[in-house]
Amino acid sequence: MTIRRLSAGLMAAALLTPGVAACTTSGDTAPTTTATPSATGSGARAADSEAKQALLDSTKEISNGNFRFTMSGVGSVAEGQVHQPSQSAEIRVRLGEPTDDLAISLDLIHAKPDSWVKVDLKGGAATSVPGLDRLNLGKFQHLDQSRIQGDRNLGFDFDKVDPAGSAALTQAVTEVQRTGDGTFSGTIDVSKAAEAGSLDQGVVTALGPEANAVPFTATTDAQGRLTELVLRMPPTGAAAGQEIKMTYSDYGNATAAQKPPADQVVEAPPELYNLFK
């Protein structure tokens, strides 16, 4: 197995962005949401309009780029912080389980204009696949910006600071209602939110018409800022239903990323870029 073939299997199936598409198996039962009884007629339309505007407004603080976040799912977890004032970000990604043939941990640091990643590979493939041993260095690998520009796995766009793309997702809401104080439920047309980093386009395509109305729930804090967004993707063929969960916290309280010490840095080898192609 070559590194390129390995990436086509593991990364397409499990990676959620920073690039990662974080999906949690939820079984074959249809996703459910809890909603308060809705009004009818113009009252219901007014309520839905107000609820959607509240959701759209809830993502505005994210665009300021000072927050902590998580994206989690089956065998996949991403967490970190974005600090736009210093043009820096830190992201930790865990893909796969220790018992898998290959489990990957990535610690990414972006401090414009530089980026670094520390890679930890576990499992049989980590030693049996030619070239992977060159990545398990225990050090941060300095990344060539020209090779990671636009890369949803290794790169970071400070013009689009939300790794999950919640603004794009809320703009694609088709139905929404308040279910309580700061809680919402409804449906999202995920086919219209392709740029959201939390979505895997392969999964969206496989959903077909069901992509037009994916159930979701959302929570906001006392200031109306988004704190949690959960998408419940329906089953696709033999694949079980999947859940994508994003959380946001510490608005305005993130800190600048710390650059790795020079003695803990090496230049990234070609094998690293090949792994994420």
Side-chain angles (χ1 to χ4, degrees):
M1 179 186 293
T2 65
I3 290 179
R4 187 167 297 183
R5 286 178 58 198
L6 174 68
S7 68
L10 179 65
M11 297 305 162
L15 215 56
L16 57 120
T17 222
V20 212
C23 298
T24 296
T25 300
S26 59
D28 292 326
T29 57
T32 59
T33 57
T34 302
T36 55
S38 60
T40 59
S42 61
R45 288 193 295 273
D48 290 349
S49 176
E50 182 277 332
K52 182 169 184 178
Q53 188 60 51
L55 275 182
L56 292 172
D57 292 343
S58 75
T59 66
K60 289 182 178 179
E61 186 63 26
I62 297 174
S63 66
N64 289 330
N66 194 326
F67 59 88
R68 300 181 191 277
F69 72 93
T70 69
M71 291 187 284
S72 60
V74 62
S76 305
V77 177
E79 59 181 352
Q81 65 169 357
V82 178
H83 191 250
Q84 180 74 294
S86 63
Q87 294 275 276
S88 68
E90 294 180 83
I91 302 170
R92 294 167 295 282
V93 183
R94 307 291 179 264
L95 300 170
E97 303 292 347
T99 55
D100 292 343
D101 188 44
L102 179 62
I104 299 179
S105 297
L106 305 175
D107 288 351
L108 285 149
I109 297 176
H110 302 281
K112 209 169 182 179
D114 292 299
S115 298
W116 302 265
V117 63
K118 181 187 284 187
V119 181
D120 183 19
L121 304 174
K122 289 182 169 56
T127 55
S128 63
V129 177
L132 284 187
D133 57 328
R134 293 195 61 192
L135 305 182
N136 250 353
L137 302 176
K139 292 187 175 185
F140 281 93
Q141 301 177 47
H142 183 253
L143 298 169
D144 181 345
Q145 293 294 321
S146 68
R147 300 189 69 169
I148 66 171
Q149 187 174 11
D151 188 317
R152 295 175 66 181
N153 302 315
L154 297 175
F156 191 87
D157 186 349
F158 282 98
D159 293 325
K160 299 177 181 178
V161 294
D162 180 10
S166 292
L169 290 167
T170 56
Q171 288 166 8
V173 164
T174 52
E175 292 184 11
V176 60
Q177 56 195 348
R178 285 188 181 270
T179 57
D181 186 12
T183 60
F184 306 80
S185 70
T187 57
I188 292 177
D189 184 349
V190 295
S191 69
K192 295 182 178 178
E195 65 185 80
S198 53
L199 293 179
D200 183 312
Q201 278 308 111
V203 173
V204 173
T205 300
L207 285 174
E210 289 190 273
N212 300 335
V214 170
F216 80 91
T217 57
T219 305
T220 58
D221 63 13
Q223 287 73 47
R225 302 171 300 192
L226 187 67
T227 56
E228 181 181 279
L229 179 62
V230 179
L231 306 182
R232 294 183 172 86
M233 311 291 275
T236 57
Q242 301 174 343
E243 183 176 280
I244 301 173
K245 180 178 179 180
M246 297 143 266
T247 69
Y248 300 88
S249 62
D250 289 342
Y251 285 107
N253 293 315
T255 56
Q258 299 299 306
K259 299 179 181 181
D263 62 354
Q264 292 298 308
V265 174
V266 297
E267 287 298 319
E271 287 85 354
L272 179 72
Y273 304 104
N274 290 338
L275 180 62
F276 292 94
K277 282 185 177 179

